[in-house]
Amino acid sequence: MRPDVLFGAARRFAVLLASISAAVVVVALGLGALVGSAPDRSVSLGFYAAGAFLVLGGFVFGNRGPYRSADDGVALWRGRSLRRASADDVRTSINMSVLLVVLGLVLLALGVAVDSRYRLV
């Protein structure tokens, strides 16, 4: 791969990780203040919860079947029609699954690093 492509991908991943981390910190500090928890504990629990949610979402998203809905709308009273997933659909599912799992694992690692109950060294 070309270095400029890898650098662009790493930059986008870092921006996405920073955005998600900032949102988790803000929400966790707010919820922690409401329940009277220590800030480091609430942030670590926020990272744990967000990381677990993303890992689970990546697992579910990656295990989609080989068929996709052919209709854009929701068919409540009639049968829904299915189509075979294209190679682009499968590639998108795998890429999104990997992205979600990696983001989730990084957030879980951040939760371990922030958690004051355990020493890493």
Side-chain angles (χ1 to χ4, degrees):
M1 292 206 89
R2 297 184 340 219
D4 59 334
V5 173
L6 290 176
F7 178 73
R11 185 180 54 80
R12 287 188 300 273
F13 182 79
V15 168
L16 182 62
L17 179 63
S19 302
I20 292 172
S21 297
V24 167
V25 167
V26 168
V27 170
L29 285 174
L31 289 176
L34 284 176
V35 297
S37 179
D40 59 339
R41 180 71 178 143
S42 61
V43 169
S44 67
L45 286 176
F47 279 135
Y48 290 151
F53 179 75
L54 287 176
V55 168
L56 181 65
F59 176 75
V60 169
F61 199 86
N63 283 317
R64 294 176 65 188
Y67 294 100
R68 305 289 187 263
S69 175
D71 301 327
D72 287 336
V74 177
L76 295 178
W77 292 282
R78 59 184 164 87
R80 61 180 194 167
S81 59
L82 298 176
R83 64 173 174 81
R84 184 90 172 141
S86 67
D88 191 45
D89 288 338
V90 173
R91 191 176 315 110
T92 300
S93 291
I94 291 171
N95 289 340
M96 185 60 73
S97 175
V98 168
L99 176 68
L100 291 175
V101 168
V102 169
L103 278 172
L105 291 176
V106 170
L107 288 178
L108 286 171
L110 284 174
V112 169
V114 172
D115 200 345
S116 62
R117 294 180 304 158
Y118 306 108
R119 292 183 52 125
L120 295 178
V121 182

